[in-house]
């Protein structure tokens, strides 16, 4: 197996790295997270001009011929700078539209890639606790024009989205709908998460909607798109973990106690070794998931959930150890290491926590074994 990136992928990584170094130094990031929307007004259009918004899409879907690998690469470098732009949410929205595949969906997809429109995917609900498969939002009877009632939670980029892609029940089926943000019956409750991201709960009260996909087609589109988004989050977690690891290493080399750098203490070296193991295990799990993205549904789900479990548990371990090794200064707002931990804490719970994905991994593995036996 070849785990080396192509020349084009290396160039993509370098372009993201240069952008983060230029636009996301620590002072600029503080100004951004303290702003009204929590993002820089011109950064998203820059993402589009640089080709990042379509890098992970096939050419026939309006992208630039890439795959989940490109999205993970971009997210990894954005994670190193703790960039607040909702890139994983964009991946989820574009992959949903790509999987739906209708002319109308592909037209919307083109607008997203060009940053002409923002569509926020709204799949999670309060009672689901991160499980996008639990859907209580419902549509009215099928013979009527679609109108939705229910609540969607933790919707990223909702405050500046033009519309929302909403999952809702219609009888026994889960359908996908497009809801205009300015429609009557749509109410937003904005708030900040622990990592200073701006999200919303969306309360729908008989809100007019446009049907995008129904039944099995919608289920398959959601499953594939969520796996793409999870892999993107794992890439971001890897970038954050790797940065936290080496930032901590640098601190241990200069912080002195008893007349020597504390990095010389063997017990702290052991902790650093444990942190590095978690980083490399996350990298390996991510590579495995990327390799399974073109496989069958069960194998893909198992690999993606395994990567999410490792990124969640390993990310929390690395973040906690980084703070511990920095001492009291590690929990201060002014030091970047506390912000690394906050983002890793949120990623560990986005689109399902470790317990949910352990169960999903077990179920998917059983399906793979059964298919092999047949």
């Amino acid at each position: 197996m070849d785990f080396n990136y192509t020349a084009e992928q290396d160039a993509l990584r370098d372009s993201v790295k240069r952008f983060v170094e230029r636009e996301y130094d620590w002072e600029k990031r503080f100004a951004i997270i303290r702003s009204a929307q929590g993002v820089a007004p011109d950064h998203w259009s820059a993402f589009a001009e640089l080709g990042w918004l379509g890098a992970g899409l096939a050419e026939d879907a309006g992208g630039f011929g890439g795959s989940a690998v490109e999205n993970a690469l971009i997210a990894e470098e954005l994670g190193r700078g703790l960039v607040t732009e909702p890139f994983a949410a964009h991946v989820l929205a574009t992959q949903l539209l790509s999987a739906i595949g209708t002319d109308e969906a592909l037209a919307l997809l083109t607008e997203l890639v060009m940053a002409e429109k923002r569509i926020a995917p709204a799949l999670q609900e309060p009672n689901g606790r991160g499980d996008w498969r639990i859907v209580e939002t419902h549509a009215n009877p099928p013979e009527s024009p679609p109108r939705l009632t229910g609540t969607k939670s933790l919707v990223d980029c909702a405050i500046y989205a033009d519309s929302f892609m909403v999952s809702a029940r219609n009888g026994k089926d889960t359908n996908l709908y497009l809801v205009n943000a300015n429609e009557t019956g749509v109410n937003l409750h904005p708030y900040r998460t622990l990592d200073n991201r701006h999200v919303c709960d969306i309360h729908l009260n008989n809100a007019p909607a446009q049907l995008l996909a129904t039944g099995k087609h919608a289920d398959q589109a959601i499953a594939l798109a969520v796996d793409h988004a999870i892999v993107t989050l794992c890439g971001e977690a890897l970038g954050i973990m790797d940065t936290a690891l080496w930032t901590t290493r640098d601190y241990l080399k200069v912080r002195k106690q008893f007349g020597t750098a504390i990095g010389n203490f063997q017990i702290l070296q052991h902790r650093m070794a444990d942190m590095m193991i978690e980083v490399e295990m996350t990298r390996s799990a991510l590579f495995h998931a990327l390799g399974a993205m073109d496989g069958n549904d069960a194998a893909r789900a198992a690999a993606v959930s395994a990567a999410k479990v490792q990124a969640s548990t390993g990310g929390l371990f690395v973040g906690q150890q980084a703070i511990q090794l920095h001492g009291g200064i590690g929990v201060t707002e002014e030091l970047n290491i506390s912000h690394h931990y906050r983002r890793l804490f949120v990623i560990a719970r986005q689109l399902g926590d470790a317990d949910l994905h352990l169960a999903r991994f077990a179920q998917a593995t059983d399906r793979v074994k059964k298919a092999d036996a047949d």
Side-chain angles (χ1 to χ4, degrees):
M1 299 179 69
D2 184 6
F3 293 106
N4 294 315
Y5 295 113
T6 65
E8 291 79 8
Q9 290 167 343
D10 284 333
L12 176 63
R13 179 197 288 276
D14 289 341
S15 71
V16 184
K17 183 178 180 180
R18 288 194 299 270
F19 176 87
V20 172
E21 290 174 349
R22 183 178 67 250
E23 300 292 340
Y24 252 83
D25 65 42
W26 208 237
E27 290 185 4
K28 289 181 179 178
R29 185 180 184 277
F30 261 107
I32 289 170
I33 64 176
R34 290 167 177 166
S35 65
Q37 292 189 333
V39 294
D42 57 340
H43 282 178
W44 198 250
S45 58
F47 284 17
E49 291 174 7
L50 291 166
W52 303 346
L53 301 186
L57 290 167
E59 291 182 3
D60 57 4
F64 302 110
S67 65
V69 176
E70 279 73 15
N71 288 333
L73 273 176
I74 293 169
E76 182 180 345
E77 293 304 320
L78 294 179
R80 294 182 189 280
L82 294 176
V83 175
T84 58
E85 295 288 350
F87 184 69
H90 169 78
V91 170
L92 178 54
T94 53
Q95 292 295 335
L96 278 171
L97 293 172
S98 176
I100 291 170
T102 62
D103 291 341
E104 183 179 19
L106 294 179
L108 289 171
L109 184 55
T110 301
E111 292 181 302
L112 291 189
V113 170
M114 301 301 294
E116 296 172 354
K117 183 171 288 189
R118 301 290 290 269
I119 299 178
L123 305 181
Q124 300 181 93
E125 300 190 1
N127 289 339
R129 300 182 65 83
D131 192 343
W132 62 94
R133 298 165 297 184
I134 297 177
V135 180
E136 296 177 352
T137 299
H138 62 274
N140 53 9
E143 63 271 9
S144 305
R147 286 182 176 271
L148 307 183
T149 298
T151 299
K152 293 295 181 177
S153 60
L154 290 167
V155 182
D156 213 343
C157 81
I159 55 175
Y160 39 83
D162 302 291
S163 53
F164 312 115
M165 227 177 318
V166 180
S167 57
R169 292 284 181 188
N170 195 332
K172 294 182 179 180
D173 293 332
T174 297
N175 297 343
L176 274 171
Y177 298 88
L178 189 69
V179 178
N180 192 303
N182 298 318
E183 289 285 4
T184 57
V186 178
N187 296 296
L188 304 185
H189 173 61
Y191 54 95
R192 291 191 183 202
T193 52
L194 181 68
D195 57 348
N196 286 305
R197 301 287 181 112
H198 290 241
V199 300
C200 291
D201 288 347
I202 302 176
H203 303 284
L204 304 171
N205 183 15
N206 208 33
Q210 176 185 346
L211 183 64
L212 291 176
T214 61
K216 186 176 181 180
H217 186 202
D219 288 335
Q220 291 174 339
I222 292 171
L224 178 61
V226 166
D227 281 344
H228 273 275
I230 291 172
V231 165
T232 302
L233 285 173
C234 291
E236 182 183 355
L238 176 61
I240 299 170
M241 292 166 66
D242 197 53
T243 302
L245 171 69
W246 298 115
T247 299
T248 304
R249 189 278 309 268
D250 293 342
Y251 178 76
L252 296 184
K253 290 171 68 176
V254 299
R255 174 72 166 89
K256 291 187 176 182
Q257 194 172 32
F258 306 117
T260 185
I262 62 175
N264 293 326
F265 300 155
Q266 192 176 57
I267 184 62
L268 302 189
Q269 294 173 1
H270 288 171
R271 287 202 188 187
M272 287 293 299
D274 289 340
M275 291 168 67
M276 188 170 187
I277 289 170
E278 293 297 336
V279 171
E280 293 307 317
M281 287 176 63
T282 301
R283 194 187 313 276
S284 297
L286 175 60
F287 284 169
H288 177 57
L290 290 171
M293 289 303 293
D294 294 329
N296 62 64
D297 292 351
R300 186 190 72 230
V304 170
S305 283
K308 184 61 162 64
V309 171
Q310 174 56 38
S312 300
T313 58
L316 289 175
F317 177 82
V318 170
Q320 290 164 355
Q321 293 301 312
I323 288 178
Q324 182 71 27
L325 292 173
H326 275 80
I329 194 175
V331 298
T332 60
E333 180 77 7
E334 292 75 19
L335 193 70
N336 58 1
I337 209 70
S338 67
H339 295 260
H340 287 90
Y341 175 70
R342 293 181 193 183
R343 181 58 186 153
L344 289 168
F345 186 92
V346 173
I347 288 176
R349 286 153 179 79
Q350 275 189 272
L351 293 174
D353 59 13
D355 289 341
L356 185 151
H357 282 282
L358 280 171
R360 184 175 182 246
F361 171 79
Q363 294 163 0
T365 301
D366 286 342
R367 296 203 308 272
V368 171
K369 290 179 179 178
K370 183 178 180 180
D372 290 343
D374 294 340

